Short mmCIF file of all heavy atoms in Angstrom, two decimals:
data_model
loop_
_atom_site.label_atom_id
_atom_site.label_comp_id
_atom_site.label_asym_id
_atom_site.label_seq_id
_atom_site.Cartn_x
_atom_site.Cartn_y
_atom_site.Cartn_z
N ARG J 1 229.70 41.22 9.74
CA ARG J 1 231.16 41.29 9.72
C ARG J 1 231.65 42.71 10.03
O ARG J 1 232.55 42.91 10.84
CB ARG J 1 231.69 40.80 8.37
CG ARG J 1 233.17 40.58 8.33
CD ARG J 1 233.57 39.83 7.07
NE ARG J 1 233.08 38.45 7.07
CZ ARG J 1 233.36 37.56 6.12
NH1 ARG J 1 234.08 37.91 5.08
NH2 ARG J 1 232.90 36.33 6.21
N ILE J 2 231.07 43.70 9.37
CA ILE J 2 231.50 45.08 9.60
C ILE J 2 231.09 45.52 11.00
O ILE J 2 231.82 46.28 11.67
CB ILE J 2 230.93 46.03 8.52
CG1 ILE J 2 231.70 47.36 8.52
CG2 ILE J 2 229.46 46.30 8.73
CD1 ILE J 2 233.07 47.27 7.94
N GLY J 3 229.96 45.02 11.50
CA GLY J 3 229.53 45.34 12.86
C GLY J 3 230.50 44.79 13.89
O GLY J 3 230.87 45.48 14.85
N GLN J 4 230.95 43.55 13.70
CA GLN J 4 231.91 42.96 14.63
C GLN J 4 233.23 43.71 14.61
O GLN J 4 233.86 43.94 15.66
CB GLN J 4 232.12 41.49 14.26
CG GLN J 4 230.92 40.61 14.52
CD GLN J 4 231.03 39.26 13.84
OE1 GLN J 4 231.96 38.99 13.08
NE2 GLN J 4 230.07 38.38 14.12
N ALA J 5 233.67 44.11 13.41
CA ALA J 5 234.92 44.85 13.32
C ALA J 5 234.81 46.22 14.00
O ALA J 5 235.73 46.66 14.69
CB ALA J 5 235.31 45.02 11.85
N LEU J 6 233.68 46.89 13.82
CA LEU J 6 233.50 48.19 14.46
C LEU J 6 233.46 48.05 15.98
O LEU J 6 234.00 48.91 16.71
CB LEU J 6 232.21 48.84 13.96
CG LEU J 6 232.28 49.41 12.54
CD1 LEU J 6 230.88 49.75 12.04
CD2 LEU J 6 233.17 50.65 12.49
N LEU J 7 232.87 46.98 16.49
CA LEU J 7 232.82 46.77 17.93
C LEU J 7 234.19 46.47 18.51
O LEU J 7 234.57 46.99 19.56
CB LEU J 7 231.86 45.62 18.26
CG LEU J 7 230.38 45.93 18.41
CD1 LEU J 7 229.62 44.65 18.77
CD2 LEU J 7 230.13 46.99 19.46
N SER J 8 234.95 45.61 17.85
CA SER J 8 236.20 45.09 18.42
C SER J 8 237.43 45.92 18.06
O SER J 8 238.38 46.01 18.85
CB SER J 8 236.42 43.64 17.97
OG SER J 8 235.38 42.81 18.41
N VAL J 9 237.42 46.51 16.88
CA VAL J 9 238.58 47.27 16.40
C VAL J 9 238.32 48.77 16.49
O VAL J 9 239.22 49.56 16.77
CB VAL J 9 238.94 46.88 14.94
CG1 VAL J 9 240.16 47.63 14.46
CG2 VAL J 9 239.16 45.38 14.85
N GLY J 10 237.08 49.16 16.26
CA GLY J 10 236.72 50.57 16.27
C GLY J 10 236.70 51.15 14.87
O GLY J 10 237.15 50.51 13.91
N PRO J 11 236.21 52.37 14.72
CA PRO J 11 236.03 52.95 13.39
C PRO J 11 237.28 53.60 12.79
O PRO J 11 237.24 54.06 11.66
CB PRO J 11 234.96 54.02 13.64
CG PRO J 11 235.21 54.46 15.05
CD PRO J 11 235.64 53.22 15.79
N ASP J 12 238.39 53.62 13.55
CA ASP J 12 239.57 54.37 13.09
C ASP J 12 240.60 53.53 12.35
O ASP J 12 241.57 54.09 11.83
CB ASP J 12 240.26 55.03 14.30
CG ASP J 12 239.37 56.07 14.97
OD1 ASP J 12 238.59 56.72 14.26
OD2 ASP J 12 239.45 56.20 16.20
N ARG J 13 240.41 52.20 12.29
CA ARG J 13 241.42 51.36 11.63
C ARG J 13 240.79 50.41 10.63
O ARG J 13 241.27 49.30 10.41
CB ARG J 13 242.25 50.61 12.68
CG ARG J 13 243.20 51.53 13.42
CD ARG J 13 244.10 50.80 14.39
NE ARG J 13 243.39 50.37 15.58
CZ ARG J 13 243.32 49.11 16.02
NH1 ARG J 13 243.91 48.13 15.35
NH2 ARG J 13 242.66 48.81 17.13
N LEU J 14 239.68 50.83 10.01
CA LEU J 14 239.06 50.10 8.91
C LEU J 14 239.16 50.98 7.67
O LEU J 14 238.93 52.19 7.74
CB LEU J 14 237.59 49.79 9.20
CG LEU J 14 237.26 49.13 10.54
CD1 LEU J 14 235.76 48.89 10.65
CD2 LEU J 14 238.03 47.84 10.74
N ALA J 15 239.49 50.39 6.53
CA ALA J 15 239.73 51.19 5.33
C ALA J 15 239.06 50.56 4.11
O ALA J 15 239.14 49.35 3.89
CB ALA J 15 241.22 51.36 5.08
N TYR J 16 238.43 51.42 3.33
CA TYR J 16 237.77 51.02 2.08
C TYR J 16 238.74 50.38 1.10
O TYR J 16 239.91 50.77 1.00
CB TYR J 16 237.15 52.27 1.45
CG TYR J 16 236.70 52.13 0.01
CD1 TYR J 16 235.49 51.53 -0.30
CD2 TYR J 16 237.48 52.63 -1.03
CE1 TYR J 16 235.06 51.42 -1.61
CE2 TYR J 16 237.05 52.52 -2.35
CZ TYR J 16 235.85 51.91 -2.63
OH TYR J 16 235.44 51.80 -3.93
N GLY J 17 238.24 49.43 0.35
CA GLY J 17 238.97 48.86 -0.78
C GLY J 17 237.96 48.30 -1.76
O GLY J 17 236.92 47.77 -1.35
N SER J 18 238.22 48.41 -3.05
CA SER J 18 237.21 48.07 -4.04
C SER J 18 237.56 46.90 -4.94
O SER J 18 236.71 46.38 -5.64
CB SER J 18 236.95 49.28 -4.95
OG SER J 18 238.08 49.53 -5.76
N GLU J 19 238.85 46.48 -4.97
CA GLU J 19 239.29 45.54 -5.99
C GLU J 19 238.91 46.07 -7.37
O GLU J 19 238.46 45.34 -8.24
CB GLU J 19 238.71 44.14 -5.77
CG GLU J 19 239.16 43.47 -4.49
CD GLU J 19 240.62 43.04 -4.50
OE1 GLU J 19 241.36 43.39 -5.44
OE2 GLU J 19 241.03 42.35 -3.56
N GLY J 20 239.07 47.38 -7.57
CA GLY J 20 238.61 48.03 -8.79
C GLY J 20 239.26 47.51 -10.06
O GLY J 20 238.68 47.60 -11.13
N PHE J 21 240.48 46.96 -9.94
CA PHE J 21 241.12 46.41 -11.12
C PHE J 21 240.40 45.15 -11.61
O PHE J 21 240.46 44.81 -12.78
CB PHE J 21 242.59 46.06 -10.84
CG PHE J 21 243.51 47.24 -10.94
CD1 PHE J 21 244.40 47.54 -9.91
CD2 PHE J 21 243.48 48.05 -12.05
CE1 PHE J 21 245.24 48.63 -10.01
CE2 PHE J 21 244.33 49.13 -12.16
CZ PHE J 21 245.21 49.43 -11.13
N ILE J 22 239.72 44.47 -10.69
CA ILE J 22 239.03 43.24 -11.06
C ILE J 22 237.57 43.52 -11.41
O ILE J 22 237.04 43.02 -12.39
CB ILE J 22 239.10 42.21 -9.91
CG1 ILE J 22 240.57 41.95 -9.54
CG2 ILE J 22 238.40 40.92 -10.29
CD1 ILE J 22 240.74 41.08 -8.32
N TRP J 23 236.93 44.35 -10.58
CA TRP J 23 235.54 44.75 -10.81
C TRP J 23 235.51 46.27 -10.91
O TRP J 23 235.30 46.97 -9.91
CB TRP J 23 234.65 44.26 -9.67
CG TRP J 23 234.62 42.77 -9.56
CD1 TRP J 23 234.04 41.90 -10.43
CD2 TRP J 23 235.22 41.97 -8.54
NE1 TRP J 23 234.23 40.60 -10.01
CE2 TRP J 23 234.95 40.62 -8.84
CE3 TRP J 23 235.94 42.25 -7.38
CZ2 TRP J 23 235.38 39.57 -8.04
CZ3 TRP J 23 236.37 41.21 -6.59
CH2 TRP J 23 236.08 39.89 -6.92
N PRO J 24 235.74 46.82 -12.09
CA PRO J 24 236.01 48.27 -12.19
C PRO J 24 234.81 49.19 -12.03
O PRO J 24 234.98 50.41 -12.03
CB PRO J 24 236.60 48.39 -13.60
CG PRO J 24 236.07 47.23 -14.36
CD PRO J 24 235.92 46.13 -13.37
N ASP J 25 233.60 48.68 -11.86
CA ASP J 25 232.43 49.55 -11.70
C ASP J 25 232.32 49.98 -10.23
O ASP J 25 231.43 49.57 -9.50
CB ASP J 25 231.16 48.83 -12.15
CG ASP J 25 229.93 49.74 -12.09
OD1 ASP J 25 230.11 50.97 -11.98
OD2 ASP J 25 228.81 49.21 -12.14
N VAL J 26 233.27 50.82 -9.79
CA VAL J 26 233.36 51.14 -8.37
C VAL J 26 232.28 52.12 -7.91
O VAL J 26 232.05 52.25 -6.71
CB VAL J 26 234.74 51.70 -8.01
CG1 VAL J 26 235.82 50.66 -8.26
CG2 VAL J 26 235.04 52.97 -8.78
N GLN J 27 231.61 52.80 -8.85
CA GLN J 27 230.57 53.74 -8.43
C GLN J 27 229.48 53.03 -7.64
O GLN J 27 228.89 53.60 -6.71
CB GLN J 27 229.97 54.46 -9.64
CG GLN J 27 228.94 55.52 -9.27
CD GLN J 27 229.51 56.61 -8.36
OE1 GLN J 27 230.56 57.17 -8.68
NE2 GLN J 27 228.83 56.90 -7.27
N ALA J 28 229.19 51.79 -7.99
CA ALA J 28 228.18 51.03 -7.25
C ALA J 28 228.58 50.86 -5.79
O ALA J 28 227.73 50.93 -4.89
CB ALA J 28 227.96 49.66 -7.89
N TYR J 29 229.88 50.65 -5.53
CA TYR J 29 230.35 50.50 -4.15
C TYR J 29 230.27 51.83 -3.41
O TYR J 29 229.91 51.87 -2.24
CB TYR J 29 231.79 49.99 -4.12
CG TYR J 29 232.04 48.77 -4.96
CD1 TYR J 29 233.22 48.61 -5.68
CD2 TYR J 29 231.09 47.75 -5.03
CE1 TYR J 29 233.45 47.49 -6.45
CE2 TYR J 29 231.31 46.62 -5.80
CZ TYR J 29 232.50 46.50 -6.51
OH TYR J 29 232.72 45.38 -7.26
N ILE J 30 230.62 52.91 -4.11
CA ILE J 30 230.57 54.23 -3.50
C ILE J 30 229.14 54.58 -3.09
O ILE J 30 228.88 55.02 -1.97
CB ILE J 30 231.13 55.28 -4.47
CG1 ILE J 30 232.63 55.02 -4.71
CG2 ILE J 30 230.91 56.69 -3.94
CD1 ILE J 30 233.22 55.86 -5.82
N THR J 31 228.20 54.34 -4.00
CA THR J 31 226.81 54.64 -3.72
C THR J 31 226.27 53.76 -2.60
O THR J 31 225.55 54.23 -1.70
CB THR J 31 225.96 54.45 -5.00
OG1 THR J 31 226.48 55.29 -6.04
CG2 THR J 31 224.51 54.78 -4.75
N MET J 32 226.61 52.49 -2.64
CA MET J 32 226.15 51.57 -1.60
C MET J 32 226.63 52.03 -0.23
O MET J 32 225.85 52.13 0.72
CB MET J 32 226.66 50.15 -1.89
CG MET J 32 226.31 49.12 -0.81
SD MET J 32 227.50 49.03 0.57
CE MET J 32 228.87 48.20 -0.24
N TRP J 33 227.93 52.33 -0.10
CA TRP J 33 228.49 52.70 1.21
C TRP J 33 227.91 54.03 1.69
O TRP J 33 227.63 54.21 2.87
CB TRP J 33 229.99 52.76 1.13
CG TRP J 33 230.66 53.08 2.43
CD1 TRP J 33 231.41 54.17 2.73
CD2 TRP J 33 230.64 52.29 3.63
NE1 TRP J 33 231.85 54.13 4.02
CE2 TRP J 33 231.39 52.97 4.60
CE3 TRP J 33 230.04 51.07 3.96
CZ2 TRP J 33 231.57 52.48 5.89
CZ3 TRP J 33 230.23 50.59 5.26
CH2 TRP J 33 230.98 51.28 6.19
N ALA J 34 227.70 54.96 0.77
CA ALA J 34 227.16 56.27 1.15
C ALA J 34 225.75 56.13 1.72
O ALA J 34 225.35 56.90 2.61
CB ALA J 34 227.14 57.20 -0.05
N ASN J 35 224.99 55.15 1.25
CA ASN J 35 223.59 55.00 1.66
C ASN J 35 223.36 53.88 2.66
O ASN J 35 222.24 53.71 3.15
CB ASN J 35 222.71 54.75 0.43
CG ASN J 35 222.73 55.93 -0.54
OD1 ASN J 35 222.70 57.08 -0.13
ND2 ASN J 35 222.79 55.64 -1.83
N LEU J 36 224.40 53.11 2.98
CA LEU J 36 224.22 51.93 3.82
C LEU J 36 223.85 52.31 5.25
O LEU J 36 224.37 53.27 5.80
CB LEU J 36 225.52 51.10 3.83
CG LEU J 36 225.43 49.73 4.51
CD1 LEU J 36 224.48 48.81 3.77
CD2 LEU J 36 226.83 49.09 4.60
N GLU J 37 222.94 51.52 5.83
CA GLU J 37 222.55 51.70 7.22
C GLU J 37 222.67 50.36 7.94
O GLU J 37 222.46 49.30 7.35
CB GLU J 37 221.10 52.20 7.32
CG GLU J 37 220.90 53.59 6.72
CD GLU J 37 219.45 54.06 6.86
OE1 GLU J 37 218.62 53.25 7.32
OE2 GLU J 37 219.18 55.22 6.51
N MET J 38 223.03 50.43 9.22
CA MET J 38 223.03 49.22 10.04
C MET J 38 221.60 48.99 10.52
O MET J 38 221.02 49.86 11.19
CB MET J 38 223.96 49.38 11.25
CG MET J 38 224.05 48.14 12.12
SD MET J 38 224.81 46.71 11.29
CE MET J 38 226.53 47.27 11.21
N PRO J 39 220.99 47.88 10.15
CA PRO J 39 219.59 47.65 10.54
C PRO J 39 219.40 47.75 12.06
O PRO J 39 220.26 47.34 12.84
CB PRO J 39 219.32 46.22 10.04
CG PRO J 39 220.31 46.02 8.93
CD PRO J 39 221.53 46.77 9.35
N ASP J 40 218.26 48.30 12.46
CA ASP J 40 217.96 48.43 13.89
C ASP J 40 218.01 47.07 14.59
O ASP J 40 218.45 46.97 15.74
CB ASP J 40 216.57 49.05 14.07
CG ASP J 40 216.52 50.51 13.65
OD1 ASP J 40 217.61 51.15 13.59
OD2 ASP J 40 215.42 51.02 13.36
N GLU J 41 217.57 46.05 13.88
CA GLU J 41 217.57 44.70 14.47
C GLU J 41 218.98 44.28 14.89
O GLU J 41 219.19 43.74 15.99
CB GLU J 41 217.03 43.70 13.45
CG GLU J 41 217.11 42.24 13.91
CD GLU J 41 216.91 41.25 12.78
OE1 GLU J 41 216.60 41.67 11.65
OE2 GLU J 41 217.08 40.05 13.04
N LEU J 42 219.98 44.53 14.05
CA LEU J 42 221.34 44.15 14.38
C LEU J 42 221.93 45.05 15.46
O LEU J 42 222.72 44.59 16.29
CB LEU J 42 222.21 44.20 13.12
CG LEU J 42 221.82 43.24 11.99
CD1 LEU J 42 222.84 43.29 10.86
CD2 LEU J 42 221.68 41.82 12.51
N GLN J 43 221.54 46.31 15.47
CA GLN J 43 221.99 47.20 16.54
C GLN J 43 221.42 46.74 17.88
O GLN J 43 222.14 46.71 18.89
CB GLN J 43 221.56 48.63 16.25
CG GLN J 43 222.22 49.26 15.03
CD GLN J 43 221.85 50.71 14.86
OE1 GLN J 43 222.03 51.52 15.77
NE2 GLN J 43 221.32 51.06 13.69
N ASP J 44 220.14 46.37 17.89
CA ASP J 44 219.50 45.98 19.14
C ASP J 44 219.98 44.62 19.64
O ASP J 44 220.23 44.43 20.84
CB ASP J 44 217.97 45.94 18.95
CG ASP J 44 217.39 47.31 18.67
OD1 ASP J 44 218.05 48.32 19.00
OD2 ASP J 44 216.27 47.38 18.11
N ARG J 45 220.13 43.66 18.73
CA ARG J 45 220.46 42.29 19.15
C ARG J 45 221.94 42.09 19.43
O ARG J 45 222.31 41.31 20.31
CB ARG J 45 220.01 41.30 18.07
CG ARG J 45 218.51 41.19 17.90
CD ARG J 45 218.15 40.08 16.94
NE ARG J 45 218.55 38.76 17.43
CZ ARG J 45 218.38 37.63 16.78
NH1 ARG J 45 217.79 37.64 15.58
NH2 ARG J 45 218.78 36.49 17.28
N TYR J 46 222.80 42.81 18.67
CA TYR J 46 224.23 42.56 18.78
C TYR J 46 225.04 43.76 19.27
O TYR J 46 226.24 43.63 19.51
CB TYR J 46 224.79 42.10 17.42
CG TYR J 46 224.15 40.84 16.92
CD1 TYR J 46 223.14 40.88 15.98
CD2 TYR J 46 224.55 39.59 17.40
CE1 TYR J 46 222.54 39.72 15.51
CE2 TYR J 46 223.96 38.42 16.95
CZ TYR J 46 222.95 38.49 16.00
OH TYR J 46 222.36 37.34 15.56
N GLY J 47 224.39 44.91 19.41
CA GLY J 47 225.11 46.08 19.89
C GLY J 47 225.97 46.75 18.85
O GLY J 47 226.86 47.55 19.20
N TYR J 48 225.75 46.44 17.57
CA TYR J 48 226.54 47.08 16.52
C TYR J 48 226.22 48.57 16.46
O TYR J 48 225.07 48.97 16.66
CB TYR J 48 226.26 46.44 15.17
CG TYR J 48 226.62 44.97 15.07
CD1 TYR J 48 225.97 44.14 14.17
CD2 TYR J 48 227.59 44.41 15.89
CE1 TYR J 48 226.28 42.79 14.07
CE2 TYR J 48 227.92 43.07 15.79
CZ TYR J 48 227.25 42.26 14.89
OH TYR J 48 227.57 40.93 14.80
#
């Protein structure tokens, strides 16, 4: 999903959101996003 959005919309109009009022442990999201990588398989097969 994020790969498709980056391809079609670009990186300048996507914005983080956490729903922190519902799931308030937002540090897990921060850590996940900081360390997340797009797998080589998805880059090669779909051009993400």
